Amino acid sequence: MDMKFKRSRWIYSVAAFAIALSMLAGCSDKNTDTSEGEEGTISINVIGSEVDLPELDDEHVYMTDADGGYVTGVDGNVLTEPIVSETYAPIETLDSGDIMNAMTETTTKASLELTQISTNERYAYTTLTAEEKKLYDEIVSGVEGLRYKICDEDAYTLEEWAKIYGLVYNQEPRLFYMSSKNKVGKLFYLTKDAEAINKMQKDIDAVVDKLVQEAAGKSSTFEKLKVFHDYLVLNSTFELKDDANGNYNTTIYNAFGSGAAQGNIQCQGYAKAMQYLCDRSGIRSMVVTGETEAGQSHAWNVIDVDGAWYNLDCTWDDPILKTPNYKNLRYNYFLIPDKWIHDITHLHVSQKRLSSGGYITYFTPPACTETAQNYFVKSGLVYNDKASADAAIKAEIKRAAEDGSRTAQIMVGSKDVYDAIYNDRTSYNTYAKEFSGVKGVSDECRDYMLLIEFDVIYN
């Protein structure tokens, strides 16, 4: 018996058995249509007689209904249908150029609501070669677009890349979500979430807008800078370790937008915050980096005040205290010349130490030689004889003790007057104890600045 005959007999037996069961049960389907149906249509029929199944090729199968039965046409023959298969386009192999484009092209840039500042007016930018300016612009554009990479790793040496990447990181505080991590050709971020960045920007400017508005009401650049300086000193706490918001302690976010009563920031955070305020107020300034006497990295500002350049270091005007004093204000480093700090407290100016131990120079900052805008000079707090200096420092101690603040300071005009006051420092400690709640004073005098400073210590 050939295979076709076996198949026909099996189909007949199954169909007959099904009909018998339905008759015994008395429940034949009233809706079953065993007629030929309308001309040109197909009918679902129970196969009750032997039929031949047509031969199949590799591209067809027998047509079946939902119950698995064969479907016949009006002529009673089993119908066939083509095999249905899904086809997919072949996978295209990406070459290195395709991958590069995918990494550098983005549509994210338009979604970021960043403060726009003209980079070509940056002092540091003006010192660069044309090729360096091109790289600076590409890094800024890349960070604005949240790109991962802007060039191949062999396009620049580590020194070349570190210089320009470091300049963008320091001179563009508005790019607060940019990470300091450094690898040739690649860009790194504290976050790449555009929605989060926009929210942080709004939080930053909610504070900055008020400060800029307050400063706009002042008549001089000196007074504007004092508004900014005082806010940062009174509303910031120096903090090295990362905080709950992530590693934003070197950014303007922790200075203004974190929502904390005391924003935890490092020296770069102070310097970038001052730079951002100056940017928003049209005051020409820059962030300068270097090292302390202890070899620790440091950052401060150089600012143009009425056509002359001055150093301003908010970090060192905000002392690290175990118990913060929110009334503490001091002006040791408020608009000072280079000679008071260069190679004394602030070393390797505008340089960065590499892991190899060597240094790269970012740029040469403008020389700061004037003292006319210095806080003590401008405020009339420089004394040229011992008697007037003695009376002035006592008045400062009295003021601090009565208002609960911490710092009493003046400046003197010569080393002789400095030595005369400094040698009597124990008498000022005794004098301070006359005030209720005061334990004495600590010596914070600085001979290289001719600065007399006593910090009031409370019980």
Side-chain angles (χ1 to χ4, degrees):
M1 185 181 294
D2 63 17
M3 186 60 68
K4 185 187 296 184
F5 181 68
K6 286 181 179 179
R7 187 183 298 159
S8 299
R9 290 195 61 186
W10 179 82
I11 295 170
Y12 177 81
S13 299
V14 171
F17 180 70
I19 294 171
L21 284 177
S22 111
M23 290 174 66
L24 288 172
C27 57
S28 61
D29 188 353
K30 295 179 180 179
N31 295 321
T32 300
D33 182 3
T34 59
S35 66
E36 292 183 351
E38 297 179 7
E39 185 178 359
T41 64
I42 59 175
S43 303
I44 299 176
N45 297 294
V46 176
I47 302 177
S49 60
E50 289 190 12
V51 295
D52 288 338
L53 293 175
E55 291 289 348
L56 294 175
D57 55 29
D58 293 336
E59 297 180 354
H60 290 76
V61 293
Y62 299 116
M63 186 179 294
T64 59
D65 61 21
D67 297 321
Y70 289 100
V71 178
T72 61
V74 293
D75 59 0
N77 293 325
V78 177
L79 301 177
T80 64
E81 60 183 345
I83 297 173
V84 178
S85 63
E86 296 183 79
T87 58
Y88 299 91
I91 297 175
E92 297 181 0
T93 302
L94 298 177
D95 60 23
S96 60
D98 295 326
I99 295 172
M100 186 68 185
N101 289 335
M103 295 177 75
T104 57
E105 291 180 1
T106 178
T107 58
T108 308
K109 182 175 180 180
S111 67
L112 291 183
E113 300 168 1
L114 302 174
T115 300
Q116 297 302 314
I117 301 293
S118 177
T119 60
N120 60 13
E121 295 180 3
R122 301 284 194 204
Y123 184 93
Y125 185 88
T126 66
T127 69
L128 302 177
T129 66
E131 186 63 25
E132 289 174 330
K133 288 177 180 178
K134 180 176 180 292
L135 178 57
Y136 189 107
D137 294 339
E138 288 174 347
I139 293 175
V140 169
S141 178
V143 175
E144 288 178 335
L146 295 175
R147 297 176 191 166
Y148 289 100
K149 186 176 181 180
I150 63 169
C151 64
D152 293 326
E153 293 182 15
D154 59 355
Y156 299 93
T157 66
L158 175 61
E159 289 77 12
E160 291 170 339
W161 176 266
K163 173 183 175 178
I164 307 304
Y165 190 86
L167 278 178
V168 173
Y169 179 73
N170 287 320
Q171 304 302 321
E172 304 295 336
R174 64 194 181 88
L175 305 178
F176 59 88
Y177 54 93
M178 178 184 182
S179 170
S180 63
K181 187 176 180 180
N182 206 326
K183 189 171 183 179
V184 177
K186 294 186 178 180
L187 306 178
F188 298 93
Y189 305 91
L190 300 176
T191 180
K192 288 185 89 276
D193 184 335
E195 184 177 348
I197 292 171
N198 289 338
K199 171 63 167 60
M200 295 166 80
Q201 182 70 64
K202 290 180 180 178
D203 291 341
I204 290 167
D205 286 337
V207 175
V208 171
D209 288 348
K210 294 178 182 178
L211 289 169
V212 170
Q213 184 177 8
E214 180 181 351
K218 304 299 181 180
S219 60
S220 67
T221 303
F222 174 91
E223 291 295 334
K224 296 178 195 295
L225 293 173
K226 189 171 179 297
V227 169
F228 301 154
H229 169 277
D230 292 357
Y231 177 86
L232 291 173
V233 169
L234 294 177
N235 293 276
S236 306
T237 296
F238 184 88
E239 181 59 72
L240 283 174
K241 65 177 182 295
D242 296 352
D243 67 352
N245 296 311
N247 190 18
Y248 288 93
N249 52 10
T250 62
T251 76
I252 63 172
Y253 177 66
N254 269 25
F256 302 119
S258 67
Q262 287 278 298
N264 294 331
I265 50 179
Q266 297 179 18
C267 53
Q268 280 182 315
Y270 286 93
K272 289 180 180 179
M274 177 59 74
Q275 172 82 4
Y276 188 70
L277 289 165
C278 287
D279 285 346
R280 289 286 310 277
S281 301
I283 300 172
R284 200 176 187 198
S285 65
M286 67 200 75
V287 173
V288 177
T289 59
E291 291 183 358
T292 66
E293 295 171 273
Q296 298 171 325
S297 60
H298 190 48
W300 65 99
N301 298 96
V302 168
I303 304 177
D304 182 356
V305 184
D306 297 344
W309 294 97
Y310 294 84
N311 295 282
L312 195 159
D313 190 336
C314 285
T315 306
W316 282 18
D317 273 352
D318 190 1
I320 302 173
L321 304 172
K322 290 183 178 179
T323 304
N325 185 312
Y326 301 123
K327 295 181 180 180
N328 184 75
L329 279 172
R330 59 181 184 176
Y331 299 93
N332 302 3
Y333 300 93
F334 188 89
L335 305 180
I336 59 177
D338 292 339
K339 65 181 181 180
W340 291 2
I341 57 171
H342 279 198
D343 299 324
I344 301 172
T345 56
H346 295 55
L347 292 74
H348 293 288
V349 175
S350 197
Q351 292 185 321
K352 173 182 175 62
R353 185 199 298 265
L354 298 176
S355 57
S356 62
Y359 288 86
I360 60 170
T361 299
Y362 287 127
F363 67 103
T364 301
C368 302
T369 60
E370 302 295 326
T371 60
Q373 297 293 327
N374 170 255
Y375 173 79
F376 297 97
V377 173
K378 188 86 169 177
S379 303
L381 295 174
V382 179
Y383 301 91
N384 294 312
D385 61 84
K386 182 185 177 183
S388 60
D390 176 77
I393 193 62
K394 284 182 177 178
E396 283 291 295
I397 292 173
K398 181 175 184 293
R399 175 200 54 76
E402 291 178 344
D403 67 18
S405 60
R406 183 177 176 91
T407 301
Q409 56 183 184
I410 62 168
M411 191 169 282
V412 297
S414 68
K415 186 65 164 56
D416 289 341
V417 176
Y418 175 90
D419 289 340
I421 297 295
Y422 186 75
N423 290 337
D424 282 348
R425 61 190 179 278
T426 56
S427 67
Y428 299 114
N429 187 61
T430 301
Y431 174 74
K433 292 179 180 179
E434 297 177 7
F435 299 94
S436 177
V438 175
K439 188 177 181 179
V441 295
S442 64
D443 171 16
E444 299 293 337
C445 299
R446 292 164 172 76
D447 58 353
Y448 56 88
M449 299 173 71
L450 299 180
L451 177 71
I452 301 295
E453 178 183 339
F454 297 115
D455 280 6
V456 177
I457 308 300
Y458 297 92
N459 291 327

